[in-house]
Amino acid sequence: MINVAVLGYGTVGSGVVEVIETNKKDIERKIGASIEVKYILDLRDFPGDPYESKVIHDYDQIINDPDISIVCETMGGLEPAYTFTQKALSKGISVCTSNKELVAAHGPELIHLAQSNKCNYMFEASVGGGIPIIRPMNSALTAEHIDSVMGILNGTTNYILTRMDEDGADFADALKEAQDLGYAEKDPTADVEGYDISRKIAILSSLVCGHYVNYEDIYTEGITRITADDIKYARKMGKTIKLLAISSENEDGYFAMVAPFLVGREHPLYMVREAFNAIFIHGNTLDDTMYYGRGAGKLPTASAVVADVVDCARHIGKCITILWDDEKVQLTDADKYKCSYFVRVSADNRDKAEAAFEITDTVDAGVDGEFAFVTEVMDNTAFEAAAVKCGGVITRIRMI
C-alpha cells in the first residue's frame, strides 16, 4: 500500500486528490501496488467535502506516521512549505511538488537532502504545469547536450496577449478578462511582471547545466508596457507578441532572459494561443523538439504532480538521478544579447532615428505621429546608446 499525504487543499491539492481517485485503477496498475490518500493537511475544514474525514491540521501527524511514503506539497510559497519539505525528506518520505518558488530557491539543497535519505524530491509540475518537460530532460534527452531552451511558460500572460492580438483589447481589459476566467490572480504581479516565468526558466537552466541558476540574476521584463498600438504594428508585420523565457549556452557561459518578443508565423511558438504553453529545446545532435500543452490549471498541474507520485512509488528506497548541485552559475550580461529590435519613435524624431540606427525595415500601421522601424541585429548596450541619440523611444520590442 502506498499512502500519500497532500499538503494544501486548494486548487492544485484538491486536483491531486481528484486525479488519484479518478485514475486509481490505472495508477495502481502502473505502480504495482494499491494507493490511498491518507491525509489532507489544511488550516481550514471542508464540511460536506467527500474527503473531509481525511482533513487534518497537524503536520506532525503526517511525518510521524510510518505508513506515509509520499507527500504532495501543493501549498505554494516558501514557508511553511520549505520547513515541511525538509522534515519529510529527513524522514525518508519522498516529496512531489508544484511549488516553483520553493524549487527555484532551494532545489539543489532539497534534492541533496532527499538523496541523503534514500528518497526523492520531484517537481515536474513546477515548470510546465501539465506539460511533461523535466522528466523528458532527465530521461529521453539524456544523450543530448542541450544548448538552448526557449518557451512560453506562463498561461496568464499568453492568454492576455492572445486577447490583445485577436480582439484588439488593451492590456487592462485583457487582464480583467483573464481574472474573471480564473487565469489570473487577484494580484497578477508575479505573472504580468515576468517573475513567475523567471523562476521556471531558472529551474530549467539549472537542470540543463547541472548547477544553480538564481532566478534573481535573470534579466526579467513583463508585459505591462505592451499596448494595443504595439499589437497593431505586430499584426502589420505578420507577427505576434509573446512573453518568452530564453536560456542558452554561449562561449562565455550561460545566458538567461525573460522578455516580450515579436514572433513570426514561421516559428512554432507563433501558434501557441490562449492559456497554452510550449517549450522549445535544442540539442546538439537531436536538433529541435517542442513540448506543448496546458501549462496551468487544476487538473493538468495535478496530473503532473501525480505522475511524480507514480515515479516515487516505483522507486521506494531508491534515488532517481537529478543532476543539479549548489554551485552558482554566473550568468552572462543580458546587455550583450544580440537581436533585432522593433522600435517606435515620435515622427518628429524620424531624422534622428535614421541617423542613430541601422534600419532594415520601416512599418506603417496607421498610428498617427509615429515612425516605426526594425533595426539591424545589435546588443542592448548599442541599442540604448542609439536610443539616446534619437531623443528617446516610445517603445521597443525584441525580435526572434
Side-chain angles (χ1 to χ4, degrees), residues 113-132:
L113 182 60
Q115 292 171 343
S116 298
N117 290 280
K118 293 184 172 57
C119 58
N120 291 287
Y121 184 57
M122 305 290 286
F123 42 92
E124 180 67 67
S126 68
V127 173
I131 304 172

Side-chain angles (χ1 to χ4, degrees), residues 154-177:
N154 183 276
T156 300
T157 52
N158 204 51
Y159 181 84
I160 291 170
L161 292 171
T162 300
R163 296 276 61 79
M164 293 177 72
D165 183 21
E166 297 184 358
D167 301 338
D170 63 23
F171 173 80
D173 289 340
L175 171 59
K176 184 179 185 303
E177 183 178 341

Side-chain angles (χ1 to χ4, degrees), residues 42-53:
D42 204 285
L43 294 173
R44 303 162 293 175
D45 291 308
F46 296 87
D49 187 274
Y51 307 105
E52 66 174 311
S53 63

Side-chain angles (χ1 to χ4, degrees), residues 220-232:
T220 301
E221 187 180 316
I223 65 167
T224 55
R225 288 179 287 182
I226 300 297
T227 67
D229 283 341
D230 291 324
I231 300 295
K232 288 180 184 177

Side-chain angles (χ1 to χ4, degrees), residues 363-381:
V363 187
D364 183 1
V367 179
D368 291 337
E370 292 188 9
F371 173 59
F373 57 92
V374 175
T375 74
E376 65 173 344
V377 173
M378 60 197 307
D379 64 28
N380 192 64
T381 299

